[in-house]
Amino acid sequence: MGALRMAWKLQRWEITTLAAVGAVLAVTLLAVGWRMESVQASAPDCWQTDVDAVLPQSAVNECAQAYAEHDAARTIGSMAGAGVVLLPFVLGVVLGTPVVAREIEARTASIAWSVSRSRGRWLALRTLPILAFVVLGIAVIGLSSLTLQRQLTGGEVGFGSLIPQLPVLLARGLLALAVGLVAGTLLGRTLPAVLASAVFLIAISIGLSIGLDVWMSAEAKPIAELDGTSSKVYNSGLRDDATGELINLDAFLAREDADDMLEIPPPGMTMVHWQIPGSEYPVWMAREAGVTGGLAIVAGVAFVLTALRRRP
Amino acid sequence: MTGALTWARFSFRLQRLEILILSAAVLAASALMVWWAFELVGLSEAYPECDFFGNDSDFSGGGSACQAPTEQFFGIRASAEMLISNVWLAGLVAGLVLGVPLVAREVEGGTAQLAWTIGRSRVRWFVGRVAFAALVASLLLAVIAVVTEILASAAAPGFDMSRDFTLYGARGPLVVARGFLGLGVGVVVGAVLGRQLPALLVGLILIGLLYAAIAFGMGRWNETEGILGPRDQNARGALYVGAGLELETGERISWGDARARDLSPEMIEGIDGRMYASQADAEAGRNAIGRRYELIIPGERYPEIVAREAAVTVGLGAVLLLTALLVTQRRRPR
């Protein structure tokens, strides 16, 4: 309880600002999600999946109105969704960097570390409440976004999702927190540490994104049907129905006889797409969470080691 | 001269970590963009027959030999555009990061009283600190502004990008102008709150709101000056500021108004370019509702429109800096 009170007193400005931003975001996510759901519920025929069904003129007008309202809510929802993606990074960095940096910057580190029983205990008491706040904040935002997420993806679970699943959000938040703690400890200045953490996290995110993409493209399988927006498609090609031989579409089109063909795929061949089906989305989310979480653990260990050896 | 050097050295020492990190980020981003620009220029010069953008009216496709360089060109171009499209943030962030600590760090560290009493006046102290931050922000962002222009030109060979709204706002002088806005927001919020990190957070929110307000205001202003775009082709390099339906009576209404007036939401465009309520009407060419129109600002006005938005952005930044000066003058140092 004492640790919580201390964390609050030392970081009340940041916690209050972030809590306010988080509350506005959570309310927006819930309100937009419910709004989209209620628009759909009020005109269910407009979202029927039977493409051949013909609507009467009165229903067409009603649907136009419903689509317009749904689209307006979707626009706000997409912006709020971007906020959900950003928030774990902001929470982690803004709360992580000042834990050690502010003590060093204000020259109070030597007092704080000497009055505590050990530096390890001081670190634990200062870091754990912040960790709890980051996890709680991300959990609230992640859960608030579920209805909206369902609406944005039309209920499909897959790679078209704007907002990643909760474990990925949590892993990103923990990584940002650990990076912020390390940067704050190394630099000993809050604002430069925030900046350095942001630059480092952007670089890590780009690297992770490229790495995962390479991993996924290596595991993509040639499948004949395209799985809407929920699958991740890497390449297209043709499969010889008789031999099962696969040929890349670009390589096929570069063949001399390709220009003479009346239709693609030609008879006896089937168009295939190298893709990761949407059904594997949770597996890849778990992998991403695992890799990001692993990096967070590495950064966390680096923080403990640097903080224990840092001169105040 | 000695005074200026002392001022620069002292100011740099107070913000050296922020300046060094920002410089490293600017340097890395610029190096990447220059490298991409070289690659793009190299490809366009090595394969003039490929005519990546179809400038040549006699273009025959370039054959299969053009497939690989075309893919390579557009691959680099896509990455370059993605980076340039996010660069507009650099101005705001750099300004904010340099602006927030100017007053807030002194107040937070308890050194404001000392700094404000040993100087000849608080105004002089404030101007000296802001001037250095503005100088650093301008220099760093000028590099980004020049490099984005070079890369944008390399990504569109054969086009005059000084008369083209492509990537409007993400390249050139507007990047620097936004630095002044970020600086103004950072200094004023830092002076009011007196705490760096909360000021950074509040500053980010405030900048988002101001940026949205400027974008909205400039959009409406541009809309009033839009002229009718060509109906049968894209206006290359133009800024699209509005679109809607021109009724047969000549009245122009937005698509939202068309929906509100209960005009058929599923209009069909006939081969004559007019809009019809049904396929049968379109085929018979009867009961036309109107035709779509687009309002544009032609590419020739690019320098003027950029200068206008830059002036508004810098002006707002200056107002914020003046506000920060007033706040600092009246502020208690703790």
Side-chain angles (χ1 to χ4, degrees):
Chain A
M1 203 59 199
L4 272 177
R5 200 167 54 239
M6 178 64 97
W8 162 251
K9 283 190 83 169
L10 286 169
Q11 292 190 260
R12 64 183 179 280
W13 276 91
E14 294 91 274
I15 293 174
T16 307
T17 313
L18 287 171
V21 171
V24 170
L25 185 60
V27 169
T28 308
L29 290 164
L30 289 170
V32 172
W34 285 332
R35 173 74 186 145
M36 289 171 83
E37 243 179 20
S38 69
V39 169
Q40 267 199 4
S42 67
D45 290 345
C46 302
W47 275 270
Q48 60 185 356
T49 49
D50 182 4
V51 291
D52 296 327
V54 179
L55 293 171
Q57 187 58 38
S58 58
V60 168
N61 292 337
E62 189 194 348
C63 285
Q65 181 68 22
Y67 292 150
E69 287 172 14
H70 199 263
D71 283 352
R74 174 186 283 272
T75 306
I76 300 171
S78 300
M79 283 192 269
V84 176
V85 176
L86 273 179
L87 195 81
F89 294 111
V90 175
L91 269 176
V93 170
V94 169
L95 292 176
T97 44
V99 169
V100 177
R102 193 174 278 159
E103 301 286 353
I104 294 170
E105 200 167 21
R107 299 182 191 285
T108 52
S110 53
I111 301 172
W113 292 347
S114 51
V115 295
S116 184
R117 255 181 264 169
S118 72
R119 200 183 286 190
R121 183 182 156 80
W122 181 88
L123 286 176
L125 288 177
R126 290 286 288 108
T127 312
L128 290 177
I130 297 301
L131 178 70
F133 185 80
V134 169
V135 170
L136 183 72
I138 294 171
V140 168
I141 294 297
L143 294 173
S144 306
S145 69
L146 288 179
T147 312
L148 174 69
Q149 175 73 323
R150 213 170 32 244
Q151 283 292 320
L152 288 175
T153 58
E156 268 185 82
V157 175
F159 293 96
S161 304
L162 170 69
I163 306 167
Q165 289 181 341
L166 189 56
V168 174
L169 293 175
L170 281 170
R172 287 179 187 173
L174 294 179
L175 175 64
L177 178 67
V179 167
L181 286 164
V182 174
T185 308
L186 285 175
L187 295 177
R189 300 278 293 259
T190 311
L191 209 56
V194 169
L195 199 56
S197 306
V199 172
F200 190 66
L201 284 169
I202 289 171
I204 285 187
S205 301
I206 292 171
L208 263 178
S209 166
I210 293 170
L212 275 171
D213 211 45
V214 170
W215 188 4
M216 288 170 79
S217 64
E219 293 206 8
K221 298 174 189 76
I223 301 171
E225 292 84 26
L226 265 177
D227 185 14
T229 54
S230 66
S231 65
K232 182 119 179 153
V233 180
Y234 283 92
N235 211 341
S236 297
L238 296 165
R239 183 174 54 211
D240 192 316
D241 294 336
T243 62
E245 185 198 353
L246 293 163
I247 179 166
N248 184 292
L249 191 61
D250 290 335
F252 179 80
L253 292 175
R255 274 171 28 177
E256 280 181 8
D257 59 342
D259 291 342
D260 303 329
M261 290 183 185
L262 294 174
E263 57 178 322
I264 296 209
M269 295 189 112
T270 307
M271 181 75 91
V272 291
H273 307 277
W274 275 267
Q275 58 185 304
I276 305 278
S279 56
E280 289 184 23
Y281 179 69
V283 176
W284 285 97
M285 282 282 103
R287 286 178 182 177
E288 186 175 345
V291 173
T292 313
L295 286 174
I297 290 170
V298 171
V301 171
F303 161 64
V304 173
L305 291 176
T306 41
L308 288 176
R309 287 155 195 263
R310 179 104 171 56
R311 294 174 68 182
Chain B
M1 188 64 189
T2 316
L5 273 177
T6 309
W7 162 75
R9 200 168 54 231
F10 177 68
S11 303
F12 175 75
R13 286 186 69 174
L14 285 172
Q15 289 192 275
R16 64 177 181 280
L17 272 174
E18 291 96 303
I19 294 172
L20 289 176
I21 294 169
L22 283 174
S23 304
V26 166
L27 204 67
S30 302
L32 185 62
M33 287 195 276
V34 169
W35 181 58
W36 277 339
F38 271 115
E39 292 269 301
L40 290 170
V41 170
L43 280 167
S44 344
E45 284 177 357
Y47 299 95
E49 72 279 9
C50 290
D51 191 23
F52 299 128
F53 283 94
N55 294 339
D56 183 357
S57 55
D58 297 330
F59 175 63
S60 58
S64 57
C66 280
Q67 194 180 336
T70 304
E71 274 177 18
Q72 198 184 348
F73 183 90
F74 282 101
I76 298 171
R77 189 173 184 265
S79 307
E81 282 194 345
M82 202 190 297
L83 185 63
I84 296 179
S85 303
N86 289 301
V87 149
W88 63 271
L89 272 170
L92 296 171
V93 171
L96 187 68
V97 167
L98 289 171
V100 159
L102 290 188
V103 180
R105 189 176 282 159
E106 303 287 356
V107 175
E108 198 171 17
T111 52
Q113 200 156 17
L114 185 67
W116 293 347
T117 46
I118 59 170
R120 259 181 253 171
S121 76
R122 215 182 270 193
V123 176
R124 196 182 155 85
W125 173 87
F126 180 88
V127 171
R129 298 296 313 280
V130 168
F132 183 77
L135 181 70
V136 171
S138 309
L139 287 175
L140 290 177
L141 295 174
V143 173
I144 293 277
V146 171
V147 173
T148 46
E149 287 287 10
I150 292 171
L151 183 55
S153 295
F159 292 101
D160 179 5
M161 294 305 280
S162 65
R163 297 272 185 278
D164 196 311
F165 281 98
T166 307
L167 294 170
Y168 172 64
R171 61 186 169 97
L174 273 174
V175 178
V176 185
R178 292 203 191 103
F180 282 94
L181 179 66
L183 187 70
V185 170
V187 180
V188 80
V189 177
V192 170
L193 295 181
R195 300 284 297 256
Q196 296 176 79
L197 214 46
L200 187 71
L201 279 174
V202 175
L204 279 173
I205 296 167
L206 195 60
I207 273 187
L209 294 174
L210 284 174
Y211 178 76
I214 291 176
F216 180 80
M218 296 310 294
R220 296 293 80 74
W221 189 354
N222 291 338
E223 208 174 300
T224 60
E225 297 183 3
I227 60 169
L228 199 60
R231 292 185 192 279
D232 51 349
Q233 59 181 7
N234 288 332
R236 166 74 209 181
L239 181 68
Y240 286 80
V241 292
L245 184 66
E246 188 177 81
L247 301 176
E248 288 298 285
T249 56
E251 185 190 1
R252 284 186 200 151
I253 58 172
S254 68
W255 291 113
D257 287 342
R259 195 181 295 123
R261 290 188 190 189
D262 209 20
L263 292 169
S264 174
E266 309 229 328
M267 279 182 281
I268 289 160
E269 190 165 7
I271 50 170
D272 58 354
R274 289 190 154 72
M275 309 299 287
Y276 297 89
S278 66
Q279 186 67 42
D281 282 351
E283 280 169 10
R286 63 169 183 252
N287 301 329
I289 297 171
R291 55 167 65 199
R292 60 175 82 234
Y293 75 89
E294 280 167 341
L295 291 179
I296 61 159
I297 293 187
E300 291 75 42
R301 288 190 65 194
Y302 176 75
E304 178 199 337
I305 301 293
V306 167
R308 190 162 77 183
E309 186 167 338
V312 170
T313 310
V314 171
L316 189 56
V319 170
L320 287 165
L321 285 174
L322 277 177
T323 312
L325 175 61
L326 290 176
V327 172
T328 309
Q329 266 188 306
R330 287 155 193 266
R331 200 189 197 295
R332 295 175 68 182
R334 280 180 294 143

